[in-house]
Structure formats: structure tokens, C-alpha cells
Amino acid sequence: MPVSCTTNCGRKAILRRPKTGTSLCKECFFDAFETEVHHTITSGKLFFPGQVVAIGASGGKDSTVLAYVMKFLNDKYDYKLNLMLLSIDEGITGYRDDSLNTVKENKNDYQLPLKILSYQDLYGWTMDRVVEEVGKKNNCTFCGVFRRQALERGAVMMGASCIATGHNADDIAETVLMNIMRGDVARLGRCCAAITSSDGALPRVKPLKFCYEKEIVMYAYFRKLKYFSTECVYAPNAYRGHARNFLKELERIRPSVIMDIIHSGENLVFQTGIKTPQQGTCSSCGHVSSQELCQACTLLLSLNEGKAKQGVSKKSHKIRST
Ligand code: SF4
């Protein structure tokens, strides 16, 4: 027998929310999802009127939903934000070239300006060539460091004062677990924040921080959003994969575990006096760095000198892609 929507709207429920277990019709699910993102934005004071926001757009489900919902809420609540899409082309044949086509469709559908920056133009290397050089073990370290800086550079070029990313609740809970397993206290202390910033770098903002991945997929499906769902051909990232599998196992037993882990991460109290690195600027590219050479320039140098394969394993305990 069909179940009624639990909001008493009179419609039949067509889904059960993974986050709350409530049965909802499509319209009430949209409303609940969008209202929660709106609440994350307003309660966390994530943006201010007139702000230029670069939305990191990969063409995947998270960033597609982020772009759609940000545009929708900006219109509905008159946030007065100037939204733009920013995509990074890592140079991964058969993956990024296809996903960028999806971003270009989103640009037209949502009527948002789009900027695409490539690793080839910024660094003189594509990820295809990096993988040829370093193999498939440490490639994500290069890719993550390069992307982080590329987003920063692109956002500055666009005149943006922050970068909105599609990190969802599952990503954040995984990161909490990973930082605990690595003993990375500095990252543990900041990974749950909806806005993260370091001196001189643009703030990174996570409006989907409390959205479950399963609900993002549902939202994209019922809204009929166009996104690219193929995984990167170079996606080993074994450590995050273990944290993800562990989290999925826990979620099967107790769906609230994702929110519980984020809540725990937010409420951890850290010893005072833990030294954090002093921020300066990279002597080579001028971007924010706590070392004389930033991570991107260090990795680039090792590639250009043909030492990337030997160098990264020694450095990888310091340079992490996540
Ligand atoms: Fe880059 Fe690794 Fe992600 Fe592929 S899986 S896009 S190589 S970080």
C-alpha cells in the first residue's frame, strides 16, 4: 500500500530519506534538501551580499548539485551573490574531457559564466604525463596539490573572494576518520569547518557539508540534473577508500553515523600551544606557502628534474592530496 508523505501534504511518498528515515514525496524532499542547505549557508554566515563566488565545478554529482542549488537559493532568497563556475582540466584522457562537456552544459542550463584552467597551461604537465612519470601509486598527491593551487589561481583570475566546493557530509566524515587514523591533529582541527581559510589564501566554503551523498544522488536524479558519474581512471586513493568502506559499513548499521562523526569532529577540543606553520609566500610562484617553495612548486620541480618517482614517497608523509 502506498505510503503518504510524512509532511501531510496529501501526496504519496516516493522515497525514504537516508538521513532521517522519513518518507517524502518529491516536492517535499526538494524543499527539505534545499532548506537544509539554505540553513547551512545562513547559520554559518558562509557568504555576504555582493560576493563573487567561484563554484568548483567538476561535472560530478556533488558540484553539479552545488551549482544548481546555489543558483536556486541565490534567486529564491536574494543572497545577491555573483556566482561563477570554475573547472580544472587535469588532462586525464577519457575522464576529464568528458566531464568538462557536462560542465559546459551546466553553464548553459544555469546561465553561469565558466572558466576552465588546465594543468598543461599552468604547470606544463597533464596528469596523463604525470602518471607516465610517477606511476599510479602517488599520482593523486600531485593531482590534489596541483588542483588546490589551480582553483586558487582560477578564482583570483575571476575576481572571486571565495571558492565553494561540493564536499558533502560523507566526505567530511571520511576525512575526520582519516585524520584520526593518520594522527593529523592540525587537519583534524579544521576539517569539519564549513569555511576553511589560511592566511593569504581564499576561503573554501562547503555549503553541502550536511548533505548525505545518497541524498545528493537522489536530488540530482529527481531534479534530472546532468552530471558525469564515471570514476577517474587513475583513482587508486586506497587510504580514503578504506575509510569510505568503513563508513559505509557503519552507515548500514546506523545511518546517523555520518552526522555523529561530523558532530564529534566539530566538538573536539585541542590542546593549546600546538604549533601551526607560519604562512609566507612561495619564492617561485608567489602563492601562499609555509615553506620557501610551495607544495605545487616542490612537486613540479621534482617532475621537471625527473626525480618525481624517488622524491614523492619521502615527501608524501608531508604532502597529502586530501
Ligand atoms: Fe586526480 Fe587522483 Fe582524483 Fe584522478 S582520482 S582526479 S588522479 S586526485
Side-chain angles (χ1 to χ4, degrees):
M1 193 171 136
V3 180
S4 296
C5 178
T6 44
T7 63
N8 292 326
C9 67
R11 291 182 287 258
K12 298 290 172 224
I14 59 157
L15 59 89
R16 201 174 148 85
R17 281 193 75 181
K19 188 172 177 180
T20 58
T22 47
S23 300
L24 294 177
C25 69
K26 196 163 66 175
E27 288 73 14
C28 290
F29 171 63
F30 291 157
D31 190 49
F33 186 93
E34 290 152 4
T35 302
E36 283 177 13
V37 178
H38 173 59
H39 184 255
T40 304
I41 290 172
T42 52
S43 63
K45 297 187 175 56
L46 302 193
F47 306 108
F48 56 83
Q51 190 170 19
V52 179
V53 180
I55 300 174
S58 67
K61 64 181 185 329
D62 300 308
S63 63
T64 300
V65 167
L66 176 67
Y68 178 88
V69 174
M70 287 287 295
K71 161 97 173 133
F72 176 85
L73 295 176
N74 195 34
D75 293 345
K76 181 173 178 180
Y77 295 104
D78 198 20
Y79 292 157
K80 296 186 170 52
L81 299 178
N82 190 353
L83 302 175
M84 300 179 177
L85 301 175
L86 171 58
S87 288
I88 306 303
D89 179 358
E90 297 93 342
I92 300 173
T93 311
Y95 168 65
R96 188 53 84 214
D97 37 6
D98 290 342
S99 64
L100 284 175
N101 288 333
T102 311
V103 179
K104 287 173 193 162
E105 286 187 53
N106 291 340
K107 163 194 180 254
N108 295 333
D109 292 347
Y110 310 157
Q111 293 289 296
L112 295 175
L114 165 67
K115 181 167 190 65
I116 302 175
L117 275 183
S118 73
Y119 284 5
Q120 176 63 45
D121 289 344
L122 290 173
Y123 308 113
W125 287 78
T126 61
M127 273 310 293
D128 286 339
R129 278 191 54 226
V130 172
V131 171
E132 272 174 32
E133 185 72 18
V134 305
K136 287 190 183 174
K137 199 158 167 256
N138 294 311
N139 53 306
C140 291
T141 300
F142 286 82
C143 193
V145 169
F146 286 169
R147 187 188 302 109
R148 191 168 177 80
Q149 196 197 69
L151 280 170
E152 180 86 14
R153 287 209 215 176
V156 169
M157 286 178 202
M158 298 171 95
S161 58
C162 75
I163 301 167
T165 63
H167 288 95
N168 60 43
D170 300 48
D171 297 328
I172 294 170
E174 278 164 29
T175 306
V176 172
L177 292 176
M178 282 170 62
N179 286 331
I180 289 172
M181 293 190 289
R182 283 167 167 165
D184 192 332
V185 179
R187 281 188 171 83
L188 188 56
R190 60 177 187 254
C191 68
C192 289
I195 303 182
T196 47
S197 59
S198 51
D199 292 345
L202 293 181
R204 310 269 162 153
V205 185
K206 301 170 195 158
L208 304 186
K209 168 185 170 177
F210 294 118
C211 299
Y212 276 31
E213 184 176 59
K214 284 179 182 163
E215 297 203 355
I216 288 174
V217 174
M218 281 179 169
Y219 186 87
Y221 173 77
F222 287 115
R223 279 276 186 214
K224 298 188 171 56
L225 304 184
K226 294 172 200 149
Y227 68 91
F228 185 78
S229 53
T230 306
E231 200 178 2
C232 171
V233 288
Y234 303 134
N237 218 343
Y239 204 62
R240 181 171 279 274
H242 289 308
R244 179 166 303 169
N245 292 340
F246 178 53
L247 188 66
K248 293 282 171 223
E249 294 256 318
L250 293 176
E251 191 192 359
R252 263 193 288 280
I253 305 162
R254 180 182 161 94
S256 69
V257 72
I258 294 172
M259 292 301 288
D260 294 342
I261 291 173
I262 295 175
H263 182 70
S264 302
E266 285 176 332
N267 287 285
L268 284 172
V269 178
F270 295 92
Q271 238 179 313
T272 52
I274 292 175
K275 279 192 183 161
T276 51
Q278 289 292 313
Q279 296 294 355
T281 50
C282 171
S283 61
S284 175
C285 71
H287 275 264
V288 183
S289 173
S290 56
Q291 308 289 324
E292 195 193 339
L293 270 191
C294 69
Q295 292 182 340
C297 287
T298 305
L299 291 175
L300 193 56
L301 189 67
S302 68
L303 281 171
N304 290 336
E305 290 181 346
K307 296 177 184 162
K309 210 163 187 169
Q310 308 96 290
V312 76
S313 55
K314 285 186 207 140
K315 290 186 183 98
S316 59
H317 67 288
K318 290 183 187 159
I319 299 174
R320 288 165 181 158
S321 59
T322 48

